[in-house]
Amino acid sequence: MADKILKELKIKVWRQKNAKSKGKFETYIINDISTGSSFLEMMDILNNDLIEKGIDPIAFDHDCREGICGTCSLYINGRPHGPDTEVTTCQLHMRKFKDGETIIIEPWRARAFPVIKDLVVDRTAFDKILQAGGFVSVNTGGVPDANAIPVSRDDAEEAMDAAACIGCGACVAACKNSSAMLFVSAKVSHLANLPQGKVEAKSRALNMVSKMDELGFGGCTNTRACEVECPKSISIMNIARLNREYLKSRLSR
Amino acid sequence: MSILDSKIPEGPLAEKWNKHKAAIKVVSPANKRKLEIIVVGTGLGGASAAASLAELGYKVKAFCYQDSPRRAHSIAAQGGINAAKNYQNDNDSVFRLFYDTIKGGDYRAREANVYRLAEVSPNIIDQCVAQGVPFGREYGGLLDNRSFGGVLVSRTFYARGQTGQQLLIGAYQALNRQIAKGNVEMYSRHEMLDVVKIDGKARGIIARDLVTGEIKRYGAHAVVVATGGYGNVFFLSTNAMGSNGSAAWQCYKKGAFMSNPCFVQIHPTCIPVHGDQQSKLTLMSESLRNDGRVWVPKKKEDAVKLQKGELHPNDIADEDRDFYLERRYPSYGNLVPRDVASRAAKERCDAGFGVNSEGKAVFLDFKYAIERLGKSVIEARYGNLFQMYEKITDVDPYKAPMMIYPAIHYSMGGTWVDYNLMTSVPGLYSIGEANFSDHGANRLGASALMQGLADGYFILPYTIGDYLADEIMTPKVDVSAPEFAEAEKEVTARIEKLYNIKGTKSVDYFHKKLGHVMWDYVGMSRNAEGLKKAIEMIKEIREEFWKDVRIPGELDNLNPELEKAGRVADFFDIGELMARDALDRNESCGGHFREESATEEGEAKRNDEKFTYVSCWEYKGEGAEPALHKEDLVFENVKLTQRSYK
Ligand SMILES: Cc1cc2nc3c(=O)[nH]c(=O)nc-3n(C[C@H](O)[C@H](O)[C@H](O)COP(=O)(O)OP(=O)(O)OC[C@H]3O[C@@H](n4cnc5c(N)ncnc54)[C@H](O)[C@@H]3O)c2cc1C
Ligand code: SF4
Ligand code: FES
C-alpha cells in the first residue's frame, strides 16, 4: 500500500515537569506525517518542531524500536500501546490514524509506576518483583550438560509462550486495579514449566506475589483487560497457573 | 618490544586456555569480599559478568542507561547462538567452530582468542538451560539446532525468533538474584561519562543520574566496560536508539587503544528506508534467505516503473527478473555471506535497478518457495517475521515480494584487549561487542551472543582475578581523591558547554548529517578520496554542531536531548577515526571493502602481506592526529585463503 500524507493531526499530550509537579494536557498541531511512519517517528517530528520553537520536547521512553525491549509505553486514545493489536507503541504505525484526528497520549497510570517526567514512568517495581524470586538459583559453572534433562517439546513451547513477556507494563496500565498479575504469572509459568525451574516453583510464586502486593499493585478481578492489551499475547491462563502454584505453597506452609 | 602485549599464552592452541587458567592468580574468598568491581552495561556481556563476579564474592556495581537491565540491546537478537556441542553428530567440533570463525572473519582475528571462544561455547548452553532458557527442542525432549550463515554444520541454538531476549532474561535473572542478595548494586538510568584513573590504573567512573541530572563518582578496584557497539554513528542502523560508542570513547581518551574501528557489519536483509522521517532500521532475520530468492528487474524501464509505483512486481515475468546472486555466485546463490550479499544489492541499486520509490531496495521473493513447499510450511518457518514485516510496511509477503536493503548492524571493531580482556589501561576491561577481539573483519551469524556470554560467564571471572590478586592490599577507593574531582569537573564542564551553546538546530539534525557522510563514504564501499573527504566533512559538521546545537530542557532533570547530544558529540570523533582506519587499510577484507583492492570482477581482494594486523589507535589529545600501532596477527593453525563463493 502506498503511503499517504496525514496533513494535520492534533496531539493532546500529558505534560508533567517531574515526579513532584502536577501535570496537565497540552495540545500541539503537527502537519504532513506519512502513514508509513511509526508512531514514535511522529513523536520525533513533533519534538523537533518543539525544539525549533524553543519548547521543551516531550519526554517518552523508547529504545529498540522493534517491539522487543519493552521500553516504549504510551497510553494512546485510551489504550496501552494504542489502537493496533499485538504491537508495542514503537511498532504502531500512523496508517492506523485518520487525517484531522485528535490523538490523546498519556503515560501508564498506576500507583506503582510513578511519573518521572511527561510520559516517562518509573517501572523499577517490576524489577523488584523479579528480584523476589523470578530466577533459578544456580551459579555460573558446575551445571549439568544441557541435554542431561530432556524437556518435552510442549513444556518448552509453553514456557517460551510465557517467557515472551517484555516487561512493558501495559497489563498494569490496562487494569482498573493496576494489578501486575499477568506479568507475575508470566514469569512464574515460564519457570514452572521447566524442570530446572520447578524446584523453586512454590517459594517463587509466594515471594513474587507478596512483593507485588507490597509494592502497591492491585488485586486481580478477572477483567481480562490485561490479556487484550498485552503486545505479546501473554494468556491469562498463566494467572490460573500462578494461583495454583500460590495455593500449593500456602497449603504446604 | 612493542607497547602492545597481547599476553597470548605459549604452547599448542588447544592447551593455551587451560594452561593459562592454571598459571593465573586466584583471589581468596575473604579478599574477594573486599574488592569492588564496576560493570558498565547489562547486555549479555555485562549482565553475565556482573552476576558471575558477584557469585564469586566480589562487590559489584552495575550500570545501564535504560530503566531496567533487561532492556539492553542484546534483547533484540533474533536468530540464535552458536556452540560446538556436536549434538547433531554432524562432525562439529571446537576446532571446526574456531576455523569457521577465523575464516568468516577473513583472517583478521587472533587465533588464541577465537579458539578459547569455541572451547567455552558448550558451557554457555549448559548454563543457559540450567537458568531456564526455553531453547527450541525436538519431540524427544532434546535441544534442537538450526544452521546459520553459510557454515556446513547445524550448531545454532535458538528460542524461536527471540534468542537474544531469552538469553538476556537468563542473565538478567542471575543478576537479579545477586541484586536481591545485596552483592550487586544496580544503577539503572545512569550513564557513564568518564573513567577515572589513579596512578595509571582504572579506579572508577563518573556517571550522570539521568533522572535527577546529578553527576556522581563511583570507585572500584577494576572497571569493566560492556557497553555494546557503535553502529549508530551511521544514524540509521539496527541498533537501539540509545546504543552508543561513548563509554568506549571515554576509555580511548584515557589511554585504551581502539582497534579496527573501520570493521562494521552491514546486514543485507533489513527493511528499506522510507522517506526522511525514519528513525531506525529493522532487521529481517538472515534465515529468510534460505527460502527467499533475491532479484531486481532485468530491464531498466521496469525498474523505473516500479520506482514510480506504476508496475506491480508480480507482473514482471520470470525471464525479466535478474536473480543477481544466483547469477554471480552460482554455488552459494542467495546464501552468500552478509558482506557479499550487501555489496551486490548496492551494486544493482547504484546501477539504477532499485525497486522502491527511492531506488534503494531489492526484492526477496517467497513466491517460489510457496509454490514448492506450500504456504503452511513457509508460515511455520517465518510466520512471525512475515507478520512483523506486514505491520511495518503494510505489504503481505505471502502475496508480494518483500523489499529489503542492507543496513548497519554490528561493530567488529572496538576497544583493544589482551588475552585477559584487559585494555591497555591496567584494571580497565572491555567485553562483548564493545571490544574488538573475536570476529576479525566480519562476524558470523549467531556468534555475537556466544562471545558476550563467553566473556561474561567464563572468561572475565577468571582473568580479572589475575589482576585483582595484586590489589588485595588496596583499600576501598576514595572518591574524594583529586583525580575524581578533576574528572567530575571535566564532565560537568562539557555538559555545560553543550547546554549553553543554545543554537538553532536539534541534535538529530547533526546526527543525520553525520550519518549521511558515514554511509556515503565510510559505508559499504570505500576509496581513499572519499575517505579523505569524509574526514574533512565530519570536521565541518562537528564544528557546526559545537556552534549551533540547541539543547532545551534542564540540566537537573530527565533530558533526553542532552543525553543524545553527548553521544552524538562522540560519534563525530568515532566516525573520523573510522575513516582514518579505513584509509590506512588499503585492502578489502570482510565488511571492509576498498575499491582500490578488488579483482577484475569486482570481488574483494585481501592483502595478507601488508595488512595481517590489528590496527590499534592511540589517543594523542584533542585535535591531534592519533598514533597507529599494529599488532601483527600470527596464524599457526590455519592456512590463509581467499574467500570464494562463486
Ligand atoms: C537486530 C539485531 C539482531 C541480532 N541478532 C543476533 C543473533 O541472532 N545472533 C548473534 O549472535 N548476535 C546477534 N546480534 C548481535 C548481538 O545481539 C550483539 O552484538 C550483542 O547482544 C551485544 O551485547 P553486549 O552485551 O555487548 O551489548 P548490549 O546488549 O548492546 O548492551 C549494552 C549495555 O551497555 C549499556 N550502556 C551503553 N552505554 C552506556 C553508558 N555510557 N553508560 C551506562 N551504560 C551504558 C546499555 O544500557 C546496555 O545495558 C544482533 C544484533 C541486532 C542489533
Ligand atoms: S504481560 Fe504483556 S503487557 Fe504485561 S508486561 Fe508482559 S508483555 Fe507487557
Ligand atoms: S522501543 Fe523497544 S519495545 Fe518499543
Side-chain angles (χ1 to χ4, degrees), chain A residues 64-109:
Chain A
C64 76
R65 293 206 178 185
E66 43 187 280
I68 192 74
C69 72
T71 312
C72 60
S73 43
L74 300 183
Y75 196 82
I76 304 162
N77 290 347
R79 292 182 65 182
H81 296 306
D84 204 351
T85 49
E86 291 177 33
V87 295
T88 53
T89 303
C90 60
Q91 290 177 304
L92 175 66
H93 277 68
M94 293 311 291
R95 64 180 75 91
K96 292 283 163 193
F97 299 90
K98 286 195 256 341
D99 203 3
E101 192 174 336
T102 300
I103 304 176
I104 303 171
I105 313 173
E106 297 169 79
W108 284 175
R109 305 234 188 236

Short mmCIF file of all heavy atoms in Angstrom, two decimals, chain A residues 64-109:
data_model
loop_
_atom_site.label_atom_id
_atom_site.label_comp_id
_atom_site.label_asym_id
_atom_site.label_seq_id
_atom_site.Cartn_x
_atom_site.Cartn_y
_atom_site.Cartn_z
N CYS A 64 14.62 0.07 21.62
CA CYS A 64 14.91 -0.81 20.48
C CYS A 64 14.14 -0.43 19.23
O CYS A 64 14.58 -0.63 18.13
CB CYS A 64 14.62 -2.26 20.85
SG CYS A 64 12.86 -2.67 20.87
N ARG A 65 12.93 0.09 19.42
CA ARG A 65 12.01 0.41 18.33
C ARG A 65 11.76 -0.79 17.43
O ARG A 65 11.53 -0.63 16.22
CB ARG A 65 12.49 1.62 17.53
CG ARG A 65 12.44 2.88 18.38
CD ARG A 65 12.28 4.13 17.57
NE ARG A 65 12.19 5.30 18.45
CZ ARG A 65 11.97 6.52 18.02
NH1 ARG A 65 11.83 6.76 16.73
NH2 ARG A 65 11.89 7.53 18.86
N GLU A 66 11.83 -1.97 17.97
CA GLU A 66 11.36 -3.11 17.19
C GLU A 66 10.52 -4.06 18.02
O GLU A 66 10.42 -5.25 17.70
CB GLU A 66 12.48 -3.81 16.44
CG GLU A 66 13.76 -4.03 17.18
CD GLU A 66 14.83 -4.58 16.25
OE1 GLU A 66 14.81 -5.77 15.99
OE2 GLU A 66 15.69 -3.79 15.79
N GLY A 67 9.93 -3.54 19.08
CA GLY A 67 8.93 -4.33 19.78
C GLY A 67 9.45 -5.41 20.71
O GLY A 67 8.74 -6.36 21.01
N ILE A 68 10.70 -5.27 21.19
CA ILE A 68 11.21 -6.38 21.98
C ILE A 68 11.79 -5.94 23.33
O ILE A 68 11.84 -6.72 24.26
CB ILE A 68 12.23 -7.21 21.14
CG1 ILE A 68 12.58 -8.54 21.80
CG2 ILE A 68 13.49 -6.41 20.86
CD1 ILE A 68 11.52 -9.59 21.73
N CYS A 69 12.23 -4.70 23.45
CA CYS A 69 12.89 -4.32 24.71
C CYS A 69 11.89 -3.96 25.80
O CYS A 69 12.21 -4.00 26.98
CB CYS A 69 13.87 -3.16 24.49
SG CYS A 69 13.08 -1.57 24.18
N GLY A 70 10.66 -3.62 25.40
CA GLY A 70 9.63 -3.30 26.40
C GLY A 70 9.74 -1.91 26.98
O GLY A 70 9.08 -1.59 27.97
N THR A 71 10.58 -1.06 26.40
CA THR A 71 10.75 0.27 26.98
C THR A 71 9.58 1.20 26.64
O THR A 71 9.11 1.94 27.50
CB THR A 71 12.07 0.91 26.47
OG1 THR A 71 13.13 -0.04 26.61
CG2 THR A 71 12.41 2.14 27.27
N CYS A 72 9.13 1.19 25.38
CA CYS A 72 8.11 2.16 24.98
C CYS A 72 6.81 1.89 25.72
O CYS A 72 6.46 0.74 25.96
CB CYS A 72 7.91 2.13 23.47
SG CYS A 72 7.37 0.53 22.84
N SER A 73 6.10 2.93 26.04
CA SER A 73 5.00 2.76 26.98
C SER A 73 4.05 3.95 26.89
O SER A 73 3.97 4.74 27.81
CB SER A 73 5.56 2.65 28.40
OG SER A 73 6.59 3.61 28.61
N LEU A 74 3.35 4.08 25.79
CA LEU A 74 2.42 5.20 25.69
C LEU A 74 0.97 4.69 25.72
O LEU A 74 0.65 3.64 25.17
CB LEU A 74 2.65 5.99 24.39
CG LEU A 74 4.04 6.60 24.23
CD1 LEU A 74 4.12 7.42 22.96
CD2 LEU A 74 4.43 7.43 25.44
N TYR A 75 0.15 5.47 26.39
CA TYR A 75 -1.26 5.17 26.52
C TYR A 75 -1.97 6.07 25.51
O TYR A 75 -2.06 7.27 25.71
CB TYR A 75 -1.66 5.47 27.95
CG TYR A 75 -2.97 4.89 28.41
CD1 TYR A 75 -3.04 3.57 28.84
CD2 TYR A 75 -4.13 5.67 28.46
CE1 TYR A 75 -4.23 3.03 29.30
CE2 TYR A 75 -5.32 5.14 28.91
CZ TYR A 75 -5.36 3.83 29.34
OH TYR A 75 -6.55 3.30 29.80
N ILE A 76 -2.40 5.48 24.40
CA ILE A 76 -2.85 6.28 23.25
C ILE A 76 -4.34 6.08 23.02
O ILE A 76 -4.80 4.95 22.86
CB ILE A 76 -2.06 5.86 21.99
CG1 ILE A 76 -0.55 5.99 22.24
CG2 ILE A 76 -2.48 6.71 20.78
CD1 ILE A 76 0.30 5.21 21.27
N ASN A 77 -5.05 7.16 23.01
CA ASN A 77 -6.52 7.12 22.84
C ASN A 77 -7.16 6.07 23.74
O ASN A 77 -7.99 5.27 23.31
CB ASN A 77 -6.88 6.85 21.37
CG ASN A 77 -6.56 8.04 20.49
OD1 ASN A 77 -6.31 9.15 21.00
ND2 ASN A 77 -6.56 7.84 19.19
N GLY A 78 -6.73 6.07 24.99
CA GLY A 78 -7.36 5.20 25.97
C GLY A 78 -6.90 3.75 25.95
O GLY A 78 -7.49 2.92 26.62
N ARG A 79 -5.86 3.46 25.20
CA ARG A 79 -5.36 2.07 25.18
C ARG A 79 -3.85 2.03 25.29
O ARG A 79 -3.15 2.75 24.59
CB ARG A 79 -5.77 1.39 23.86
CG ARG A 79 -7.27 1.16 23.74
CD ARG A 79 -7.59 0.45 22.46
NE ARG A 79 -7.02 -0.91 22.45
CZ ARG A 79 -7.13 -1.74 21.41
NH1 ARG A 79 -7.76 -1.37 20.32
NH2 ARG A 79 -6.60 -2.94 21.47
N PRO A 80 -3.34 1.13 26.16
CA PRO A 80 -1.88 0.98 26.21
C PRO A 80 -1.38 0.50 24.85
O PRO A 80 -1.96 -0.41 24.28
CB PRO A 80 -1.65 -0.10 27.28
CG PRO A 80 -2.97 -0.41 27.89
CD PRO A 80 -4.04 0.22 27.07
N HIS A 81 -0.36 1.10 24.35
CA HIS A 81 0.23 0.81 23.04
C HIS A 81 -0.71 1.14 21.87
O HIS A 81 -0.43 0.75 20.73
CB HIS A 81 0.69 -0.65 22.92
CG HIS A 81 1.79 -1.04 23.86
ND1 HIS A 81 2.98 -0.37 23.95
CD2 HIS A 81 1.88 -2.06 24.77
CE1 HIS A 81 3.76 -0.96 24.86
NE2 HIS A 81 3.12 -1.97 25.38
N GLY A 82 -1.81 1.81 22.13
CA GLY A 82 -2.62 2.34 21.04
C GLY A 82 -3.55 1.36 20.35
O GLY A 82 -3.74 0.24 20.82
N PRO A 83 -4.11 1.79 19.22
CA PRO A 83 -5.22 1.08 18.59
C PRO A 83 -4.89 -0.24 17.88
O PRO A 83 -5.80 -1.00 17.62
CB PRO A 83 -5.76 2.10 17.58
CG PRO A 83 -4.64 3.01 17.30
CD PRO A 83 -3.83 3.07 18.54
N ASP A 84 -3.66 -0.53 17.53
CA ASP A 84 -3.36 -1.77 16.82
C ASP A 84 -3.31 -2.92 17.83
O ASP A 84 -3.18 -2.70 19.02
CB ASP A 84 -2.02 -1.64 16.08
CG ASP A 84 -1.91 -2.59 14.89
OD1 ASP A 84 -2.79 -3.46 14.76
OD2 ASP A 84 -0.97 -2.46 14.10
N THR A 85 -3.43 -4.14 17.34
CA THR A 85 -3.35 -5.30 18.25
C THR A 85 -1.98 -5.95 18.16
O THR A 85 -1.31 -5.91 17.13
CB THR A 85 -4.39 -6.38 17.87
OG1 THR A 85 -4.27 -6.62 16.47
CG2 THR A 85 -5.78 -5.93 18.21
N GLU A 86 -1.58 -6.58 19.26
CA GLU A 86 -0.33 -7.35 19.33
C GLU A 86 0.89 -6.56 18.88
O GLU A 86 1.81 -7.11 18.27
CB GLU A 86 -0.44 -8.62 18.48
CG GLU A 86 -1.39 -9.64 19.07
CD GLU A 86 -1.55 -10.86 18.19
OE1 GLU A 86 -0.58 -11.23 17.52
OE2 GLU A 86 -2.64 -11.42 18.18
N VAL A 87 0.89 -5.27 19.14
CA VAL A 87 2.10 -4.49 18.88
C VAL A 87 2.40 -3.57 20.06
O VAL A 87 1.52 -3.21 20.81
CB VAL A 87 2.01 -3.61 17.61
CG1 VAL A 87 1.89 -4.43 16.36
CG2 VAL A 87 0.89 -2.61 17.72
N THR A 88 3.68 -3.24 20.14
CA THR A 88 4.09 -2.23 21.11
C THR A 88 3.92 -0.85 20.47
O THR A 88 3.75 -0.75 19.25
CB THR A 88 5.56 -2.43 21.46
OG1 THR A 88 6.29 -2.44 20.23
CG2 THR A 88 5.79 -3.73 22.20
N THR A 89 4.06 0.18 21.28
CA THR A 89 3.93 1.54 20.77
C THR A 89 4.89 1.79 19.61
O THR A 89 4.55 2.42 18.62
CB THR A 89 4.24 2.55 21.89
OG1 THR A 89 3.34 2.29 22.96
CG2 THR A 89 4.08 3.98 21.42
N CYS A 90 6.10 1.27 19.72
CA CYS A 90 7.10 1.56 18.69
C CYS A 90 6.78 0.88 17.37
O CYS A 90 7.31 1.25 16.33
CB CYS A 90 8.49 1.15 19.17
SG CYS A 90 8.66 -0.59 19.55
N GLN A 91 5.91 -0.14 17.40
CA GLN A 91 5.56 -0.82 16.14
C GLN A 91 4.26 -0.31 15.56
O GLN A 91 3.84 -0.74 14.48
CB GLN A 91 5.41 -2.33 16.39
CG GLN A 91 6.71 -3.02 16.69
CD GLN A 91 6.44 -4.48 16.99
OE1 GLN A 91 5.66 -4.79 17.88
NE2 GLN A 91 7.06 -5.36 16.25
N LEU A 92 3.61 0.56 16.31
CA LEU A 92 2.36 1.14 15.84
C LEU A 92 2.68 2.12 14.71
O LEU A 92 3.63 2.90 14.80
CB LEU A 92 1.71 1.87 17.02
CG LEU A 92 0.44 2.66 16.75
CD1 LEU A 92 -0.69 1.72 16.36
CD2 LEU A 92 0.06 3.46 18.00
N HIS A 93 1.90 2.05 13.64
CA HIS A 93 2.18 2.95 12.52
C HIS A 93 1.06 3.95 12.29
O HIS A 93 -0.07 3.74 12.70
CB HIS A 93 2.50 2.14 11.25
CG HIS A 93 3.94 1.71 11.21
ND1 HIS A 93 4.45 0.78 12.09
CD2 HIS A 93 4.98 2.14 10.45
CE1 HIS A 93 5.74 0.64 11.85
NE2 HIS A 93 6.10 1.46 10.86
N MET A 94 1.40 5.03 11.64
CA MET A 94 0.45 6.14 11.50
C MET A 94 -0.70 5.81 10.56
O MET A 94 -1.68 6.54 10.52
CB MET A 94 1.19 7.41 11.05
CG MET A 94 2.15 7.97 12.09
SD MET A 94 1.43 8.14 13.73
CE MET A 94 0.26 9.47 13.45
N ARG A 95 -0.59 4.70 9.83
CA ARG A 95 -1.73 4.35 8.96
C ARG A 95 -2.94 3.95 9.78
O ARG A 95 -4.03 3.82 9.24
CB ARG A 95 -1.31 3.26 7.96
CG ARG A 95 -0.92 1.94 8.54
CD ARG A 95 -0.53 0.97 7.42
NE ARG A 95 0.78 1.27 6.88
CZ ARG A 95 1.92 0.73 7.34
NH1 ARG A 95 1.89 -0.15 8.32
NH2 ARG A 95 3.08 1.06 6.82
N LYS A 96 -2.76 3.76 11.08
CA LYS A 96 -3.90 3.46 11.96
C LYS A 96 -4.67 4.73 12.35
O LYS A 96 -5.63 4.66 13.12
CB LYS A 96 -3.39 2.78 13.24
CG LYS A 96 -2.83 1.39 13.02
CD LYS A 96 -3.94 0.36 12.82
CE LYS A 96 -3.35 -0.90 12.20
NZ LYS A 96 -4.38 -1.80 11.70
N PHE A 97 -4.22 5.89 11.87
CA PHE A 97 -4.88 7.15 12.25
C PHE A 97 -5.41 7.86 11.01
O PHE A 97 -4.93 7.64 9.90
CB PHE A 97 -3.91 8.05 13.02
CG PHE A 97 -3.44 7.41 14.28
CD1 PHE A 97 -2.30 6.61 14.30
CD2 PHE A 97 -4.15 7.57 15.48
CE1 PHE A 97 -1.88 5.99 15.46
CE2 PHE A 97 -3.73 6.95 16.65
CZ PHE A 97 -2.59 6.16 16.63
N LYS A 98 -6.39 8.74 11.26
CA LYS A 98 -7.00 9.46 10.13
C LYS A 98 -6.57 10.91 10.12
O LYS A 98 -6.27 11.49 11.17
CB LYS A 98 -8.52 9.38 10.25
CG LYS A 98 -9.09 8.02 9.89
CD LYS A 98 -10.58 8.11 9.68
CE LYS A 98 -11.47 7.60 10.77
NZ LYS A 98 -11.12 6.72 11.80
N ASP A 99 -6.58 11.47 8.95
CA ASP A 99 -6.26 12.89 8.83
C ASP A 99 -7.22 13.71 9.69
O ASP A 99 -8.41 13.44 9.73
CB ASP A 99 -6.37 13.31 7.35
CG ASP A 99 -5.54 14.55 7.07
OD1 ASP A 99 -4.86 15.02 8.01
OD2 ASP A 99 -5.55 15.04 5.93
N GLY A 100 -6.68 14.71 10.37
CA GLY A 100 -7.51 15.60 11.16
C GLY A 100 -7.83 15.08 12.56
O GLY A 100 -8.41 15.78 13.38
N GLU A 101 -7.43 13.84 12.85
CA GLU A 101 -7.77 13.21 14.12
C GLU A 101 -7.06 13.89 15.31
O GLU A 101 -5.98 14.45 15.17
CB GLU A 101 -7.33 11.74 14.05
CG GLU A 101 -7.86 10.89 15.16
CD GLU A 101 -7.54 9.40 14.97
OE1 GLU A 101 -7.32 8.94 13.82
OE2 GLU A 101 -7.52 8.70 15.99
N THR A 102 -7.73 13.83 16.47
CA THR A 102 -7.07 14.23 17.71
C THR A 102 -6.55 12.97 18.40
O THR A 102 -7.30 12.03 18.62
CB THR A 102 -8.04 14.95 18.65
OG1 THR A 102 -8.54 16.11 17.98
CG2 THR A 102 -7.35 15.37 19.94
N ILE A 103 -5.27 12.96 18.71
CA ILE A 103 -4.68 11.78 19.37
C ILE A 103 -4.33 12.16 20.80
O ILE A 103 -3.61 13.14 21.04
CB ILE A 103 -3.42 11.31 18.61
CG1 ILE A 103 -3.75 11.03 17.14
CG2 ILE A 103 -2.82 10.08 19.28
CD1 ILE A 103 -2.54 10.65 16.30
N ILE A 104 -4.85 11.39 21.75
CA ILE A 104 -4.58 11.69 23.15
C ILE A 104 -3.51 10.73 23.68
O ILE A 104 -3.64 9.51 23.58
CB ILE A 104 -5.86 11.54 23.99
CG1 ILE A 104 -6.94 12.46 23.40
CG2 ILE A 104 -5.60 11.89 25.46
CD1 ILE A 104 -8.30 12.24 24.00
N ILE A 105 -2.45 11.30 24.22
CA ILE A 105 -1.34 10.48 24.69
C ILE A 105 -1.09 10.71 26.18
O ILE A 105 -0.88 11.85 26.61
CB ILE A 105 -0.03 10.78 23.92
CG1 ILE A 105 -0.31 10.82 22.41
CG2 ILE A 105 1.03 9.76 24.24
CD1 ILE A 105 0.87 11.27 21.59
N GLU A 106 -1.11 9.63 26.94
CA GLU A 106 -0.87 9.71 28.38
C GLU A 106 0.20 8.70 28.78
O GLU A 106 0.49 7.76 28.06
CB GLU A 106 -2.16 9.36 29.14
CG GLU A 106 -3.31 10.30 28.90
CD GLU A 106 -4.60 9.72 29.47
OE1 GLU A 106 -4.79 9.81 30.68
OE2 GLU A 106 -5.39 9.17 28.68
N PRO A 107 0.76 8.88 29.97
CA PRO A 107 1.69 7.87 30.49
C PRO A 107 0.90 6.67 31.03
O PRO A 107 -0.32 6.76 31.18
CB PRO A 107 2.41 8.59 31.62
CG PRO A 107 1.46 9.65 32.07
CD PRO A 107 0.65 10.04 30.87
N TRP A 108 1.59 5.56 31.34
CA TRP A 108 0.95 4.49 32.11
C TRP A 108 0.48 5.14 33.42
O TRP A 108 1.23 5.90 34.03
CB TRP A 108 1.94 3.42 32.50
CG TRP A 108 2.46 2.39 31.54
CD1 TRP A 108 3.42 1.48 31.87
CD2 TRP A 108 2.11 2.08 30.20
NE1 TRP A 108 3.68 0.65 30.80
CE2 TRP A 108 2.88 1.00 29.76
CE3 TRP A 108 1.19 2.64 29.28
CZ2 TRP A 108 2.79 0.45 28.49
CZ3 TRP A 108 1.10 2.09 28.01
CH2 TRP A 108 1.89 1.01 27.63
N ARG A 109 -0.72 4.82 33.84
CA ARG A 109 -1.18 5.37 35.12
C ARG A 109 -1.37 4.22 36.11
O ARG A 109 -2.23 3.38 35.93
CB ARG A 109 -2.51 6.08 34.93
CG ARG A 109 -2.45 7.16 33.85
CD ARG A 109 -2.93 8.47 34.41
NE ARG A 109 -3.05 9.46 33.35
CZ ARG A 109 -2.42 10.62 33.39
NH1 ARG A 109 -1.62 10.93 34.40
NH2 ARG A 109 -2.60 11.49 32.41
#
